[in-house]
Amino acid sequence: MKRYLACSLLALGALLSSPLAHAAPGESPKPSDEARTRWFRDARLGIFIHWGVYSVPAGEYKGKPVGWIGEWIMKQASIPVADYRAFAKDFTAANYKPEDWADLIKESGARYTVITAKHHDGFSLYDSAVSDWDVAGDCPSPDDLLAPLAAAVRARGLKFGLYYSQAQDWTHPGGAIMGKKAGEAGWDPAQTGDFDAYLRDVAVPQTREILTRYQPDVLWWDTPVNMNTERARPLHELLALQPGIITNNRLGGDFKGDTKTPEQHIPPRGFPGEMFEVCMTMNDTWGFKKNDLNWKSSRDIIRNLSDISSKGGNFLLNIGPDATGRIPETSVKILKDLGRWMRVNSEAIYATTASPFPRRLPWGRVTQKADADGTTTLFLHVWDWPADGQLLLPTLQTKPASVRILATNARASAKLSPEGLLVRVGATAPDSDVSVVKLTFKKPLVITQRPYVEPASDGAFTLTAFDADRHGSLLGDIPIEGGGNSAFIARWRHDEWWIEYQLNSLAARTWRVEAELRAEKSTKLLLKNGATEVAADIAATSGDAFQKITLGTIALPAGKTALELRPVRGQWSSIDLRALRLIPVP
Ligand code: GLC
């Protein structure tokens, strides 16, 4: 094992002297970012794999279920290091078939995969020269679970990435523990040690190992607990070993990497002009939990991909194999359903960019592709197929050269109208989840839709569910149910979720805010605009009917501004919100 260290130090020395290596914080030492990141931005879909010793207890300890995400069981249940290490003898990987995994990843339509090399429990899926807490130690699995998967995915033309928990490590002494200061004792005295020594003796050499052994195309840092620029720098500088590598924003310090990493929720407007990758589980856990059966539907997953792509981001969809290396059946089904959809519609996903429409469309999403010859293609991702067979592309005043239903290649038509381009797609949706209509334009698109809502002719703002920027969290997204005018923000149940409306009022004035909602229990929210906050009490409504209630009055400035609706922490109860009206107060 020592030989790895010798050759990698030589390699590292040669590279660190190159101009590429000494990048300033926040910059990645890489060739041109455009060329380097092209494959990633075009890929749009990756498969995350969380696999490790935590898959043995699988969400239970001493016969009792342990809450939250499965790969955190050691911390959640304060399992002593020795007891946790004893699980390794049952981490057999007996059913691990990397070729089958690679086939399934390929079949899903994903273009890359990212697997955990070492997670917060400190266990490595490869034989580390600087640790005995790995697959080559006290566990019956093969001594390297990463190399065969790297070879199998690359043999299928896919990219291979590694997740590495660079700071948190609940087994090696000195590893960070979320909620504890550097060097502060954890739940087991065996964890006590010096954090900087841990970084020097474990995190840095292991990062060098995985970079030199597997040449990953992506390095996925996670939870920069107690990290700062000085501590992160040695890790960042190792990236010079893989000049083309893509990394994320979770290393720590001022190092921003290439991608933002919104987790379990989709940012309402993405991050215009920046690379981002939404990572999400198929149920509620990253690591395998035998009793987590709260699976998203294949439709949910396909629509998440459609939504994320329409904002110009990537979707990193997680699977959590069990301790034998078996991928849960429901995960396999979802990946196969996703693949079936991608085989027909991937043209609307791969190498596309964000929608040209600044506001959400009631019937679905849009991605686009611009070709060198000046052709622009719009892909309409129709979630709610129109009963009247017509889709409006608001304010678009350019006629397409052709309109096709992607799945059938059937011709469709479009005509200009004062409201925008009316696309006539017929009565039958080719796909019950997301149907794609492909519009090809030979001239530049003329779209005058504004990213904000303005008062209608009656002087009032009418704000639909689609006009709301819905800010979710680690606990998920605020969903919209229904389509068209009956759509509503549904099950707005967590008080950390909030919404905002982008408005443009011609003059500064006071507005009466009326909501069309239903609430099982009375609850409280704040209307917020800048420093202005107005408390709004919401009484429980009766039955299923939506009721119109006045939330309060609020003064808004002239020009573009945002009206936020934020639950009062600890006093919030789920509501469904269909619409908001702001009526000018004389
Ligand atoms: C969170 C969790 C970690 C998981 C990661 C995936 O950071 O701490 O367990 O691997 O999310 O994004």
Side-chain angles (χ1 to χ4, degrees), residues 194-384:
D194 177 80
F195 182 46
D196 292 299
Y198 166 78
L199 292 172
R200 182 193 63 228
D201 301 337
V202 180
V204 168
Q206 285 195 332
T207 301
R208 185 182 296 119
E209 282 176 340
I210 60 177
L211 287 171
T212 46
R213 280 190 213 174
Y214 307 105
Q215 295 86 39
D217 305 294
V218 176
L219 187 55
W220 219 94
W221 306 112
D222 194 19
T223 65
V225 176
N226 298 328
M227 291 296 281
N228 54 38
T229 299
E230 187 191 348
R231 284 175 167 149
R233 188 183 303 284
L235 292 162
H236 172 80
E237 288 178 348
L238 286 172
L239 299 177
L241 290 167
Q242 270 297 90
I245 201 165
I246 303 261
T247 62
N248 67 11
N249 63 345
R250 298 193 181 186
L251 169 56
D254 294 339
F255 296 103
K256 298 303 173 209
D258 299 299
T259 65
K260 289 182 181 302
T261 52
E263 181 172 320
Q264 299 287 36
H265 69 284
I266 301 169
R269 293 179 181 270
F271 296 94
E274 294 188 78
M275 281 167 57
F276 69 98
E277 180 189 58
V278 175
C279 56
M280 247 179 213
T281 54
M282 289 185 181
N283 47 11
D284 291 327
T285 178
W286 304 91
F288 178 70
K289 283 183 82 171
K290 65 187 89 164
N291 297 323
D292 181 336
L293 305 176
N294 186 27
W295 298 101
K296 296 175 181 74
S297 66
S298 298
R299 163 180 284 197
D300 293 334
I301 298 298
I302 291 165
R303 289 187 172 185
N304 283 340
L305 175 63
S306 164
D307 190 13
I308 296 163
S309 300
S310 77
K311 290 155 183 166
N314 280 26
F315 185 21
L316 188 60
L317 175 62
N318 184 72
I319 57 174
D322 69 18
T324 73
R326 189 180 292 111
I327 298 172
E329 271 175 34
T330 309
S331 297
V332 173
K333 178 189 179 307
I334 288 172
L335 290 180
K336 286 181 179 293
D337 289 346
L338 180 57
R340 258 193 301 282
W341 187 86
M342 283 292 274
R343 277 191 292 282
V344 173
N345 302 286
S346 63
E347 185 183 353
I349 302 293
Y350 295 145
T352 60
T353 55
S355 168
F357 294 95
R359 284 171 55 190
R360 259 166 299 287
L361 300 159
W363 42 260
R365 303 293 185 271
V366 173
T367 53
Q368 62 174 321
K369 211 174 272 183
D371 292 321
D373 65 358
T375 302
T376 300
T377 305
L378 287 189
F379 298 99
L380 314 186
H381 304 209
V382 187
W383 294 18
D384 300 299

Side-chain angles (χ1 to χ4, degrees), residues 48 50 54 68-72 116 119-120 163 165 168 170 178 220-224 248 250 261-264 279-281 286-287 316 318 474:
F48 218 169
H50 276 71
Y54 42 75
W68 207 41
I69 45 187
E71 69 285 3
W72 276 64
T116 50
H119 206 270
H120 307 332
Y163 164 111
S165 175
Q168 283 211 88
W170 306 325
M178 192 168 277
W220 219 94
W221 306 112
D222 194 19
T223 65
N248 67 11
R250 298 193 181 186
T261 52
E263 181 172 320
Q264 299 287 36
C279 56
M280 247 179 213
T281 54
W286 304 91
L316 188 60
N318 184 72
L474 276 177

Side-chain angles (χ1 to χ4, degrees), residues 72-125:
W72 276 64
I73 190 167
M74 186 181 176
K75 183 172 193 296
Q76 292 297 103
S78 301
I79 303 174
V81 169
D83 293 1
Y84 188 81
R85 289 191 61 148
F87 287 128
K89 68 183 182 311
D90 295 318
F91 185 69
T92 67
N95 296 313
Y96 177 41
K97 298 182 179 68
E99 299 289 335
D100 292 359
W101 285 22
D103 282 341
L104 182 59
I105 291 165
K106 174 91 175 176
E107 181 180 350
S108 75
R111 289 279 175 83
Y112 63 105
T113 190
V114 178
I115 185 170
T116 50
K118 183 210 81 164
H119 206 270
H120 307 332
D121 61 359
F123 182 78
S124 305
L125 294 193

